[in-house]
Amino acid sequence: MTPSYDIGRMSDRCAATGAALKAGDRYVAALYESPEGEALIRRDYTPEGWESAGERPGALFAHWRGVVPAAEKSDKPVIDAGSLMGLFEQLGEAVEPRQLAFRYVLALIMLRKRMLTSQGMREARGDVPAALLVRVRGAAAEEGPIVVIDPALDEAAIVDLTEQVRTLLRLDA
């Protein structure tokens, strides 16, 4: 079964303070697992609201920072390259299947956008899962590859998830 990442649009208010989020304002977007664990809920914060929110709930899936786009520029990505890399790195410690699938698809998108370079694949051995090996474009070879666990999705699921993530983050190809 393909995980679903159907997320609502950005809110016009900070989830912690209720302050308005206007075009040009910086924000923090956070994705939380629903109590049933079947959906992700998006909450947006001002940077101050995010810092004052205190301890994050255990259901925090991922978060990123951005700038509220102008209304007429709604087709712009909701996440810049630096934030996209931060989101990818943040999910590096993921163990939940939905997070692993999200990170894997994010890596495929970042390979296509030439933010990462492929270093090959690691085959599954015993309890060690298969993985995609990548490197940040321009990183020194001695840094070693980044391991992206292969969530063992079929091709149709990867295509579906890629489209969901691209739509969620409004990323072009």
Side-chain angles (χ1 to χ4, degrees):
M1 180 175 147
T2 303
S4 177
Y5 298 97
D6 186 22
I7 311 295
R9 292 190 171 268
M10 181 177 186
S11 172
D12 63 351
R13 298 251 168 229
C14 173
T17 67
L21 294 169
K22 303 177 298 296
D25 288 350
R26 294 187 137 330
Y27 71 92
V28 177
L31 300 178
Y32 297 91
E33 299 242 17
S34 68
E36 304 80 33
E38 294 182 12
L40 294 176
I41 300 165
R42 178 179 174 155
R43 293 190 185 126
D44 298 298
Y45 300 86
T46 62
E48 299 79 18
W50 177 251
E51 295 304 322
S52 70
E55 187 174 327
R56 308 288 172 236
L60 180 64
F61 184 87
H63 70 279
W64 67 90
R65 295 177 184 270
V67 176
V68 177
E72 65 272 8
K73 295 184 180 180
S74 63
D75 61 336
K76 282 184 67 178
V78 298
I79 188 168
D80 62 31
S83 296
L84 189 63
M85 185 62 72
L87 179 59
F88 173 73
E89 290 170 352
Q90 177 191 136
L91 290 168
E93 300 299 318
V95 294
E96 296 297 320
R98 287 168 42 108
Q99 289 176 312
L100 292 173
F102 192 94
R103 184 170 194 251
Y104 184 80
V105 167
L106 201 55
L108 295 177
I109 291 169
M110 292 170 72
L111 280 165
R112 191 165 186 189
K113 293 176 91 37
R114 300 179 194 255
M115 295 174 69
L116 300 175
T117 59
S118 176
Q119 302 298 298
M121 293 290 294
R122 177 184 75 194
E123 292 188 27
R125 290 191 189 105
D127 291 341
V128 178
L132 174 64
L133 305 175
V134 298
R135 179 171 288 129
V136 175
R137 182 165 291 284
E142 50 275 358
E143 288 183 31
I146 299 168
V147 177
V148 181
I149 302 299
D150 183 342
L153 300 171
D154 63 29
E155 187 174 339
I158 290 173
V159 169
D160 182 47
L161 277 177
T162 300
E163 189 55 36
Q164 286 184 55
V165 172
R166 286 181 57 238
T167 299
L168 167 67
L169 301 176
R170 285 199 299 261
L171 298 171
D172 57 356

